Structures are given as C-alpha cells and as structure tokens.
C-alpha cells in the first residue's frame, strides 16, 4: 500500500527535477510567421480519418489540410483540458487535505500554465483560432472527498496520458514543421513528470476511497472515469476541423469515421497502457467504457 | 410522420441512466435527475447533431440549454425550423 508520505516524497523529487529542467517558455521556441501548407502538421497516422474508407477517398492535398486542421484541434483540446485541470489543482493547493503537496502543485500549475500558452499560440498563429470546447460545464460532484478526488485526479491522469501518446509520437516525426515537433517534445518531457505523480496519486486515492467511502460511490466514480475516456476520444472528431479542412459533409463524415472498426482498434491501442494501469490499481467500472 | 419530439426522444432516451424505458419522459425534469451527466451531454450533442444534421452553435452549448428536455427542444426548434 502506498502511503501519503510516499506520495509526498515522490512529489518532492519531481518538483526538484522540474526546477532543474525549467526553461524560459518565451525563449524556448522559434515561431515562424507561417507554416508550409504542403506539409503535415500532425502525423497522418494520428488523424481521425486514418485507417478508414474516408482516408482512402481523400486526395493528398485534402489529407494535408486535414492534418493541419487537426493539429490545431489537438492543441485546442489541450488548452481546454489544461484550463480545467489548473482550476481543480488550484482548488486543492494550501488545503488541509494535501499540506505536503502544495510545493508540487505550484510547479504543476506553473508548467501547465506555460503549456496552455504555447498550445494556444500555435493555434492562433497558424490556425487563426483556438477551437472552442464542445463540453457543457457542470457542477462539481458531491460525495466523499476521496471519491471527488479520485474523479478529479483520474480525469487529469487520463487526459495527460492520452495526449502524451500523441506528443511522444509527433516529437520525432520529421514530416512535421520544427515548431510542431518541438511543442510536442517539450510537452512530452514535462508530462512524464506529471504522469509519474498522477499514477502515485491515483494509487493512494483509490486506497483511501476503498477504506473510507461506500463501495457504490467508488463503483460510480470508476464508471464515470471510464466513460470519460470514451468522451475524451470522441472530442478529437470535430466537424468544425473537417469543415476547415474543406472536407464535404463534416457531420456525416464524423459518423462514418467514428463507426469504422479501425478507429476502435486505434483507441484501444493508444489508451491500452492507461486502462491497464487503472485495472491494476483496482478501479472498478471498466464495463462502462465504449471504444 | 416523425415529429421533432419523437426524433429528440430517440436520441435522448438512451442517455437517461435513471429513466425506465417504459416511463414517459418528463420534459421539465432536470437532466441530472434523469441520469444525464456532463459526459452523457457530450454524447447527446453528437447524437442530436447526427439526428437533425445540424451543428449546434457554441452559443447554445450552455448549462441553460442542457437543463431539461424542454430547454433542449426549444433550442433545437429554433435551429430546425430556421
């Protein structure tokens, strides 16, 4: 069993590492005035139409435009995810519940704020906008505080691990412009620390929830998190991005690609590691997951 | 002829985790009481856009629009009849 003392010790080591690796975000990147229109901005294998009959029908210029719009969509999703998680972590800093984690939370918020800045800058410079979120805000869930935190830190971990798979692959993809590769690489490096913390945190929180909360509450939280995985994956399929890429009938296109069996296989592949971890620590509710 | 309400119900009901399939839909019940949480709302938006072949504008993606079935229907009505 992982104690809170263990989580605090890990967080302390990660904070030290974060401070040793700190960079000036305003000097870290060279921002060209524009990006080549005849290049992929996102690895084609990571676009939402890849592996489907839609991809087969697309011309090369359409594939390029799709990868460009989806690069902006992917970075926009990061902006919205980060905004939400900064709020949740800020709500927990200097509380009596996590007195030993406030230093780490400072570093976490600092880094996430900078990530949000470079993602949004890319979107605005090269896509002309940050795509709005399609999520409708809701009130925080009630219940035992350990359960609330399982949900909050579970959401953060899932979003970070999902985006990290994309970042890691695109960080070394020579087909992408340097600024796109660099953003993915820097984010991947910082997120490896956040993910290491998130896994320790979730292990400890789940243990606490099992000891203190009603089993039905934990079941509901687990099912919620597995449904959150499904919702995260679906948010990549944005009809506005398809329209911006000049693809016809974007709503029908979303339905066609979402229903293609290759996409389920791809979703399982990119989130397999996360699901295995959640199963290993005993989070219930995996049957709620829809690929 | 399928009405707006029937088409709405076909997309909405599968998202209601606290509504028995034989139970009539109370149009003024809160989405929370029907078992539709923020995660289900994302799925509902996709289902409604597919059913009505429309894209819900950002201005309608608010807690007020997704408060009850009747508030969603009102928003849909303004788009479908436009």
């Amino acid at each position: 069993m992982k104690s809170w003392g263990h989580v605090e010790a890990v967080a302390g080591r990660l904070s030290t590492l974060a401070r040793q690796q700190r960079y000036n975000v305003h000097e870290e990147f060279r921002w060209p005035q524009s990006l080549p229109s005849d290049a992929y901005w996102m690895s084609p294998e990571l676009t939402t139409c890849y592996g489907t009959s839609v991809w087969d029908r697309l011309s090369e210029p359409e594939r390029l435009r799709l990868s460009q719009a989806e690069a902006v969509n992917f970075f926009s999703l990061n902006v919205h995810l980060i905004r939400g998680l900064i709020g949740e972590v800020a709500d927990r800093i200097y509380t009596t519940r996590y007195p030993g984690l406030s230093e780490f939370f400072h570093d976490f918020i600092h880094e996430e704020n900078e990530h949000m800045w470079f993602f949004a800058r890319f979107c605005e410079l090269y896509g002309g906008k940050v795509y709005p979120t399609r999520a409708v805000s809701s009130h925080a869930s009630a219940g035992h505080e350990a359960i609330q935190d399982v949900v909050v830190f579970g959401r953060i971990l899932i979003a970070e691990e999902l985006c990290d798979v994309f970042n890691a692959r695109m960080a070394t993809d020579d087909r992408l412009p340097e600024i796109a590769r660099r953003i993915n690489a820097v984010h991947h490096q910082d997120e490896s620390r956040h993910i290491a913390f998130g896994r320790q945190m979730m292990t400890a929180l789940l243990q606490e929830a099992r000891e203190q909360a009603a089993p039905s509450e934990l079941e509901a939280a687990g099912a919620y998190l597995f449904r959150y995985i499904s919702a995260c994956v679906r948010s990549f399929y944005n009809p506005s991005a398809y329209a911006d890429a000049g693809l016809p009938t974007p709503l029908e296109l979303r339905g066609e690609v979402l229903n293609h069996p290759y996409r389920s296989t791809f979703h399982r592949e990119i989130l397999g590691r996360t699901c295995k971890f959640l199963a290993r620590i005993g989070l219930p509710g995996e049957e709620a997951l829809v690929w | 002829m399928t009405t707006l309400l029937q088409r709405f119900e076909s997309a909405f009901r599968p998202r209601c985790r606290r509504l028995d399939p034989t139970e009539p839909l109370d149009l003024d019940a809160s989405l929370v009481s029907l078992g539709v949480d923020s995660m289900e709302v994302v799925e509902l938006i996709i289902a409604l856009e597919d059913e009505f072949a429309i894209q819900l504008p950002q201005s309608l993606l608010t807690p007020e629009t997704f408060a009850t079935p009747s508030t969603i229907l009102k928003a849909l009505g303004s788009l479908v009849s436009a």
Side-chain angles (χ1 to χ4, degrees):
Chain A
M1 176 189 149
K2 298 271 172 58
S3 68
W4 283 113
H6 176 77
V7 176
E8 289 173 9
V10 169
R13 288 203 298 276
L14 293 171
S15 270
T16 302
L17 206 55
R19 291 170 193 194
Q20 287 168 349
Q21 294 178 342
R22 190 146 291 168
Y23 50 87
N24 183 338
V25 74
H26 300 291
E27 295 174 358
E28 183 68 17
F29 304 98
R30 285 203 309 272
W31 299 92
Q33 287 210 319
S34 61
L35 296 187
S37 58
D38 60 350
Y40 289 110
W41 297 1
M42 181 172 194
S43 305
E45 299 79 10
L46 299 178
T47 61
T48 58
C49 297
Y50 189 80
T52 71
S53 46
V54 172
W55 182 261
D56 296 338
R57 290 201 303 269
L58 296 182
S59 64
E60 185 60 15
E62 286 174 322
R63 290 176 177 180
L64 289 168
R65 289 201 306 270
L66 175 68
S67 91
Q68 292 157 10
E70 291 210 332
V72 176
N73 185 55
F74 172 57
F75 286 171
S76 298
L77 291 172
N78 275 272
V79 168
H80 298 301
L81 290 168
I82 291 170
R83 196 185 51 222
L85 68 87
I86 283 178
E88 296 286 5
V89 173
D91 275 347
R92 286 161 175 80
I93 199 167
Y94 295 118
T95 59
T96 52
R97 187 157 158 69
Y98 301 115
L101 294 178
S102 291
E103 282 291 312
F104 177 81
F105 286 166
H106 270 294
D107 293 316
F108 182 92
I109 291 169
H110 171 92
E111 290 182 341
E112 291 296 352
N113 183 49
E114 293 192 337
H115 299 165
M116 186 161 53
W117 177 81
F118 60 62
F119 283 132
R121 181 165 168 82
F122 182 98
C123 296
E124 291 181 335
L125 269 180
Y126 309 124
K129 65 185 168 196
V130 174
Y131 282 107
T133 176
R134 306 281 291 162
V136 177
S137 63
S138 62
H139 300 295
S141 59
H144 194 285
E145 57 185 0
I147 293 293
Q148 288 182 37
D149 287 355
V150 163
V151 168
V152 164
F153 285 97
R155 284 173 60 135
I156 291 173
L157 183 66
I158 287 164
E160 285 182 331
E161 294 209 3
L162 171 60
C163 292
D164 191 56
V165 173
F166 284 70
N167 292 146
R169 293 189 188 182
M170 288 195 278
T172 56
D173 188 338
D174 290 337
R175 294 169 295 182
L176 311 187
E178 185 190 347
I179 183 66
R181 281 202 311 273
R182 189 81 193 117
I183 285 176
N184 281 294
V186 168
H187 196 236
H188 174 54
Q189 177 177 305
D190 288 348
E191 287 307 293
S192 61
R193 275 182 272 104
H194 296 185
I195 289 169
F197 168 77
R199 286 190 166 211
Q200 297 292 336
M201 186 74 172
M202 275 300 282
T203 305
L205 281 170
L206 209 58
Q207 181 68 37
E208 183 189 24
R210 267 195 294 268
E211 289 168 2
Q212 298 182 14
S216 60
E217 274 194 283
L218 186 54
E219 285 281 340
Y224 176 91
L225 285 174
F226 281 107
R227 288 192 296 119
Y228 181 70
I229 290 176
S230 307
C232 276
V233 161
R234 273 160 182 66
S235 63
F236 281 70
Y237 297 77
N238 185 349
S240 297
Y242 300 148
D244 288 343
L247 306 186
T249 58
L251 285 170
E252 290 171 28
L253 191 148
R254 175 177 59 185
E256 186 177 346
V257 291
L258 262 176
N259 289 322
H260 194 284
Y262 175 83
R263 302 311 303 170
S264 308
T265 307
F266 178 73
H267 300 158
R268 284 177 203 274
E269 178 201 331
I270 57 173
L271 281 157
R273 189 183 61 159
T274 306
C275 290
K276 266 187 199 162
F277 167 74
L278 295 175
R280 193 170 73 238
I281 62 172
L283 184 75
E286 191 166 0
E287 62 282 357
L289 182 56
V290 178
W291 291 113
Chain B
M1 186 178 161
T2 314
T3 65
L4 176 81
L5 178 59
Q6 287 170 324
R7 292 171 69 189
F8 168 76
E9 273 208 55
S10 72
F12 184 75
R13 271 190 173 272
R15 270 91 209 163
C16 298
R17 286 176 295 123
R18 289 191 202 143
L19 183 66
D20 189 278
T22 58
E23 197 180 337
L25 177 63
D26 176 359
L27 295 179
D28 293 318
S30 73
L31 262 59
V32 174
S33 70
L34 294 167
V36 183
D37 63 16
S38 58
M39 220 62 61
E40 294 291 348
V41 168
V42 174
E43 293 291 317
L44 177 63
I45 290 168
I46 293 176
L48 292 173
E49 288 182 339
D50 286 348
E51 173 62 35
F52 293 97
I54 52 163
Q55 190 163 4
L56 290 167
Q58 204 61 32
S59 58
L60 287 178
L61 301 183
T62 65
E64 290 74 29
T65 301
F66 290 89
T68 67
S70 65
T71 55
I72 302 172
L73 270 167
K74 187 180 167 193
L76 275 177
S78 70
L79 294 170
V80 172
S81 61

